Amino acid sequence: MVELSLLTLLNLVGNNFCEYRDLGNDNYKSLLLAYSDASHKFGSLEVKKVIEKSDNFKVAAIAVAAVKCPKYIMK
C-alpha cells in the first residue's frame, strides 16, 4: 500500500467537499462527509496519522479548497 500523503488526502477531500456543497450541504456537513469518504477509502487510522503529522494542515486545506471550488471558499 502506498503511504497516504497530505496532498493526496486534501485533493480527495477537496473534490468531495465541492461535490457535497454543490448538492446544497453547508460547509461543515460537506467537510465531515468528505473526510468520512477519505476514511472509508484510506482507512481512518491513515487519515488520522496524516492529519496529526501535518504542520500546516489548515493552510494547505484552505488552499486546496480555494483552488477546487472557490465559489464556496472565497466568500
Side-chain angles (χ1 to χ4, degrees):
M1 181 177 176
V2 176
E3 184 177 338
L4 179 62
S5 71
L6 177 61
L7 188 56
T8 301
L9 173 63
L10 291 178
N11 276 311
L12 175 76
V13 169
N15 286 336
N16 292 0
F17 171 82
C18 298
E19 290 173 11
Y20 286 122
R21 287 292 286 132
D22 288 342
L23 292 173
N25 296 303
D26 65 22
N27 283 341
Y28 189 67
K29 185 174 183 178
S30 297
L31 185 62
L32 288 174
L33 289 168
Y35 274 100
S36 178
D37 292 345
S39 293
H40 179 72
K41 181 171 182 163
F42 298 113
S44 58
L45 294 178
E46 286 298 312
V47 170
K48 181 180 179 184
K49 184 171 57 172
V50 168
I51 293 169
E52 287 176 338
K53 289 183 175 182
S54 300
D55 294 328
N56 294 318
F57 186 82
K58 183 177 179 180
V59 172
I62 291 170
V64 168
V67 168
K68 298 234 177 241
C69 50
K71 65 185 176 185
Y72 298 122
I73 303 302
M74 305 307 274
K75 289 184 179 181

